[in-house]
Amino acid sequence: MSVTHASAPPTDRHRTTPARPAPGARRDRRGIWRTAGFHLSAGLLSALWLLPIVLVLVTSTRSFDDVAAHGVGSLPHSFTLDGFRQAWVDGGQQRALINSLLVTVPTVLLSLLLASMAAFALSRYDLPLRRTLLLLMLGGNLLPPQILLVPVAKLSELLGLYDSLYALIGVQVGFGVGFYVFVLHGFMRSVPPEIQQAAVIDGAGPWQIYTRIIMPLAKPAMAALSALSFTWIFNDLLWAITVLRTDSHMPITASLIGLQGQYVSMWNVIAAGSVIAAAPTVVVFLKFQRHFVAGLNLGAVK
């Protein structure tokens, strides 16, 4: 007689449990999601920022009939460069762009020359009241320019420079040198004093130290300031309409106001004028972009 025994139920030690992911794997997945979220957010913000620029570029290459029939925000149904011709020739953008370059280029060169010489003296030599002078230069840039419009206009009239490009150059140099000195002073102070001492032992004077040692080392900072100052001066409108009155002397920014009044509803011409006005600053920035970020950081940490 055989006795059958019922099989015993499986115990807990025989049960299989799902493997839990390692802590490192969970952190890696969270890092991937964070990276993906960051790139998605940055891409959306970039697209939102670029949308007006793309709209202006597309509108500038459309015909007036296309814009009038379908609206500014519609898809283009035509392609023409006639808006650029109208803005350049009929709208006076050609002369205005020349005026802007005649003001901007000399102002940038003169401002950086004066600022570099002043920063060299204040940073490399123990001059009396040098800290006070530096604070005064910096404090001048903290004043709102609106409270100085009338005094600047009156002073330009007394000097006989009113309604001339020389007056605009003088104003731009006067209001920009203080900031440039402050930036270059921080960089030039970071140059090791042993370099200057070695040059003095070799018989170099202050001018040789400035031109042959300090300025070659300051090229990245000068490049960054050149791009910044060119953009600020070229895009300035406030001082241009303060010291200038004749239309033939107006720079490109003031000319855009006249272009909008001349071509009230011709958005393709106004957009083309805006593209012409923005092109020089874009070219300058692309030229100095590899020095821009590095130059802004120079002198921040000694």
Side-chain angles (χ1 to χ4, degrees):
M1 179 176 180
S2 62
V3 179
T4 59
H5 299 280
S7 59
T11 60
D12 292 340
R13 61 189 182 89
H14 294 293
R15 294 176 183 175
T16 59
T17 57
R20 296 181 179 179
R26 290 197 298 268
R27 286 194 296 268
D28 291 341
R29 281 200 294 268
R30 285 197 298 265
I32 293 174
W33 282 109
R34 290 195 192 99
T35 303
F38 170 77
H39 286 291
L40 180 61
S41 302
L44 292 175
L45 289 176
S46 300
L48 184 64
W49 184 80
L50 290 173
L51 182 61
I53 300 176
V54 174
L55 180 62
V56 171
L57 289 174
V58 172
T59 304
S60 65
T61 58
R62 297 171 64 182
S63 64
F64 171 73
D65 295 335
D66 181 14
V67 175
H70 302 92
V72 178
S74 64
L75 293 176
H77 296 78
S78 62
F79 179 84
T80 178
L81 298 179
D82 188 62
F84 288 92
R85 184 197 63 78
Q86 288 182 275
W88 184 256
V89 180
D90 302 333
Q93 293 290 92
Q94 180 180 7
R95 182 61 193 173
L97 181 60
I98 294 175
N99 291 336
S100 292
L101 294 177
L102 289 177
V103 171
T104 305
V105 175
T107 302
V108 171
L109 296 177
L110 184 58
S111 299
L112 293 182
L113 175 63
L114 296 176
S116 62
M117 296 173 68
F120 170 71
L122 293 173
S123 62
R124 309 305 300 181
Y125 295 97
D126 190 13
L127 300 177
L129 301 176
R130 62 176 181 174
R131 188 179 298 274
T132 303
L133 292 173
L134 187 63
L135 291 176
L136 285 175
M137 291 182 181
L138 180 62
N141 290 273
L142 301 179
L143 292 174
Q146 289 81 5
I147 67 175
L148 300 174
L149 296 181
V150 175
V152 168
K154 294 294 184 181
L155 182 60
S156 62
E157 290 180 0
L158 292 176
L159 295 176
L161 299 175
Y162 191 73
D163 196 21
S164 68
L165 298 181
Y166 297 106
L168 187 55
I169 292 174
V171 170
Q172 297 286 5
V173 171
F175 283 93
V177 166
F179 175 77
Y180 307 146
V181 170
F182 180 76
V183 175
L184 291 176
H185 176 270
F187 169 76
M188 291 182 180
R189 282 192 62 187
S190 65
V191 177
E194 292 79 9
I195 298 178
Q196 182 174 349
Q197 294 171 3
V200 172
I201 293 174
D202 291 338
W207 181 252
Q208 286 76 18
I209 296 173
Y210 167 75
T211 56
R212 299 184 181 181
I213 296 176
I214 301 298
M215 288 306 295
L217 294 175
K219 281 184 178 180
M222 295 290 288
L225 283 179
S226 298
L228 281 176
S229 59
F230 187 95
T231 302
W232 290 339
I233 297 168
F234 190 89
N235 292 331
D236 175 70
L237 173 65
L238 183 63
W239 295 120
I241 61 178
T242 300
V243 300
L244 299 177
R245 283 292 178 269
T246 308
D247 292 339
S248 60
H249 293 163
M250 289 295 177
I252 193 74
T253 50
S255 177
L256 280 176
I257 300 177
L259 189 70
Q260 187 174 2
Q262 184 177 356
Y263 299 93
V264 179
S265 60
M266 300 183 67
W267 292 106
N268 59 325
V269 180
I270 298 174
S274 302
V275 173
I276 295 173
T281 55
V282 173
V283 172
V284 170
F285 179 79
L286 293 177
K287 177 67 176 178
F288 293 101
Q289 65 174 342
R290 64 190 183 96
H291 300 291
F292 189 75
V293 176
L296 290 180
N297 293 330
L298 288 173
V301 180
K302 185 175 180 180

